Amino acid sequence: MNFAFFHLSFWNTAFRPFFWFGSVYGILIIGIWLFILSNGIINPIQVNAIHWHSYEMVFGFTKAIVLGFLFTAVQNWTNTTILKGENLFYLLLFWLLGRFSFYSFGILGYISFGFDICSDIYVIYLLVPKLIVPIQKHNRPILYHYAIFTVFHILSAISTYSILNPEQTLIYIHLSIFVVLFLILIIGGRVVPFFSGVVIQGYSFKRMPKLETILLYLPFLFYFTKLIQTHLRNSNLNFVPFFSNREFQLFIMLSFICIFLLFITNTIRYLSWKPWKSYQKPILWILYLGYFWVCFGFLLYSFSELNLFPVSSAIHSLTVGGLGVFIYGMITRVSLGHTGRSIVAAPLTVIAYVLLNLSVFIRVFLPVFNHYKYAYYLSGIGWMICFFLFVIQYTRILFSKRPDGKPS
């Protein structure tokens, strides 16, 4: 391949290609999903369509955006260049080739899945030497979470292929969603207060080291309790014979407590950042709204553990809301700041912020009142419009050099 190709600005940093391709894929995959729901096209998927939709939104769209965040953040924390040029191109290519795992392509689908997993292994390979050193001890949970994400990715796929019980597919995908949320919370915990200090005059907040430690390690307890609980439920208590129904209920309660503690601890952290001070800065309040949906989603999901709220709506408050809104805020902010542009949300971007939050509200609450089709179509169309607005506004920014001539 032409060596000059890898010197294009587009390959200088991970956020440029992954934000752009991830956003385009986010439009495409929701469009296909809505056509499948409406029977507008012949279903090209060889597995359960809901499993495919969930899988691609997590390991396709969300993973692409997170990789853009992750390598940008870790490079800043370690003050080193980890991924650019040819290596960045090949990681993106592995991710792209992995997007055909569940189409009716026979053995090519399995090869596609192999590329998808190779992209995860390559990410770990790149991160280990940077985060395993003593000075980066506080950042190692990022590496641990991504390793767990890779395991859940494998389990999600082989369950979808019915190598494992296909009824467990959504369990592993949902656990993967939580892994991504925890990665976002780690990165967000570093950058949101920093962004606030940059744009809000006289901004300050009280740091709480003990709370931050809890937030780093509580997720691992959640993984454990949730895995035990779900395996017991799906095996009718035969997976581990010495567990009785009483112990099974205990793990449900422990899972509820973990999620409720995540709601409490993240809400305390959220309020300590004084989100109300961001109201005049759309490029900032969108991040706080994303974090609000994470906290609120943890609350709804804890209720769903006790069958007090629909699981699907709770999950979508965390995905469309927590991940979607926070991701949108970050890709607009990072794309401006790291390319030397003025960090101000354009009017079309602000419209997208409002529309995306409206889409979250529709997707989470309309199904509670049995308006499922309205929820699917209205929120899906709103999502597509938002990311289309991102693509038309930010394509030139992501593909071009910094106006100040500095490396991005």
Side-chain angles (χ1 to χ4, degrees):
M1 185 172 291
N2 189 341
F3 185 71
F5 174 76
F6 297 120
H7 287 279
L8 295 174
S9 297
F10 192 63
W11 305 111
N12 278 351
T13 48
F15 75 84
R16 288 175 178 263
F18 278 112
F19 285 5
W20 193 84
F21 277 95
S23 297
V24 171
Y25 192 66
I27 299 168
L28 178 65
I29 209 68
I30 290 297
I32 295 173
W33 173 237
L34 293 181
F35 273 117
I36 290 174
L37 285 178
S38 63
N39 296 315
I41 59 173
I42 297 174
N43 188 352
I45 312 303
Q46 65 176 348
V47 297
N48 182 298
I50 294 176
H51 293 172
W52 168 81
H53 163 68
S54 304
Y55 181 96
E56 287 303 321
M57 288 305 294
V58 176
F59 302 110
F61 164 76
T62 304
K63 175 181 163 181
I65 303 295
V66 166
L67 290 181
F69 292 156
L70 190 57
F71 282 103
T72 302
V74 173
Q75 287 185 171
N76 285 340
W77 296 338
T78 60
N79 198 28
T80 59
T81 299
I82 304 174
L83 185 64
K84 66 180 296 185
E86 189 172 357
N87 290 335
L88 175 54
F89 170 80
Y90 286 118
L91 178 59
L92 178 72
L93 182 63
F94 287 165
W95 172 83
L96 281 170
L97 292 174
R99 307 282 51 84
F100 305 98
S101 300
F102 302 115
Y103 293 90
S104 302
F105 296 149
I107 193 171
L108 293 178
Y110 294 101
I111 295 173
S112 175
F113 168 63
F115 278 113
D116 214 12
I117 295 302
C118 282
S119 68
D120 285 333
I121 294 172
Y122 190 36
V123 169
I124 294 172
Y125 168 79
L126 292 169
L127 291 179
V128 164
K130 301 299 180 182
L131 298 183
I132 207 67
V133 296
I135 197 173
Q136 292 296 327
K137 183 178 180 180
H138 60 295
N139 287 323
R140 286 180 195 167
I142 290 175
L143 185 60
Y144 305 151
H145 282 301
Y146 201 90
I148 292 170
F149 177 79
T150 302
V151 172
F152 288 150
H153 186 180
I154 295 170
L155 292 173
S156 298
I158 62 179
S159 298
T160 304
Y161 282 126
S162 298
I163 297 173
L164 293 179
N165 183 355
E167 293 183 2
Q168 295 185 0
T169 301
L170 286 180
I171 295 168
Y172 295 127
I173 292 175
H174 288 175
L175 282 167
S176 302
I177 290 168
F178 279 97
V179 178
V180 176
L181 280 166
F182 298 141
L183 283 171
I184 291 289
L185 291 176
I186 292 173
I187 297 173
R190 313 282 176 82
V191 301
V192 173
F194 170 75
F195 292 162
S196 299
V198 170
V199 300
I200 301 175
Q201 188 174 6
Y203 176 82
S204 64
F205 74 101
K206 183 180 179 181
R207 298 185 182 276
M208 294 178 280
K210 291 183 179 179
L211 179 68
E212 294 299 322
T213 301
I214 293 172
L215 288 170
L216 274 179
Y217 295 104
L218 182 59
F220 297 104
L221 178 60
F222 167 73
Y223 296 148
F224 173 76
T225 58
K226 194 65 178 175
L227 278 171
I228 295 295
Q229 172 203 335
T230 51
H231 276 292
L232 291 175
R233 174 185 289 142
N234 283 276
S235 59
N236 296 316
L237 302 181
N238 292 321
F239 180 75
V240 185
F242 54 83
F243 278 109
S244 67
N245 189 61
R246 181 178 297 177
E247 280 77 21
F248 175 60
Q249 295 299 322
L250 173 63
F251 274 100
I252 292 178
M253 186 55 63
L254 286 174
S255 180
F256 163 78
I257 291 171
C258 282
I259 290 292
F260 195 76
L261 284 175
L262 284 166
F263 160 67
I264 294 295
T265 51
N266 278 284
T267 300
I268 292 171
R269 181 202 228 185
Y270 174 72
L271 294 175
S272 76
W273 290 345
K274 305 173 184 176
W276 53 87
K277 291 194 172 186
S278 68
Y279 75 98
Q280 291 183 321
K281 306 288 184 181
I283 201 78
L284 188 57
W285 59 244
I286 187 63
L287 297 175
Y288 282 111
L289 274 177
Y291 208 112
F292 164 80
W293 281 113
V294 173
C295 297
F296 189 58
F298 283 149
L299 178 64
L300 294 183
Y301 193 80
S302 69
F303 289 163
S304 74
E305 288 287 273
L306 304 179
N307 295 318
L308 298 176
F309 194 80
V311 175
S312 178
S313 286
I315 284 291
H316 281 85
S317 69
L318 291 167
T319 52
V320 186
L323 290 176
V325 174
F326 196 86
I327 278 174
Y328 205 90
M330 285 292 288
I331 62 177
T332 52
R333 203 276 179 201
V334 170
S335 296
L336 294 173
H338 283 263
T339 61
R341 269 81 177 180
S342 176
I343 308 174
V344 178
L348 278 180
T349 301
V350 178
I351 290 172
Y353 290 167
V354 175
L355 180 57
L356 186 56
N357 279 278
L358 180 60
S359 299
V360 180
F361 191 85
I362 289 170
R363 182 58 188 86
V364 172
F365 291 106
L366 284 193
V368 176
F369 301 100
N370 295 318
H371 297 303
Y372 294 96
K373 286 190 175 181
Y374 287 119
Y376 301 153
Y377 293 122
L378 291 177
S379 64
I381 292 169
W383 173 280
M384 293 170 66
I385 292 172
C386 289
F387 280 92
F388 178 72
L389 290 175
F390 174 81
V391 171
I392 63 173
Q393 290 183 95
Y394 285 83
T395 293
R396 183 181 60 83
I397 292 172
L398 292 173
F399 278 78
S400 61
K401 296 179 180 179
R402 286 177 62 118
D404 57 11
K406 295 179 181 179
S408 58

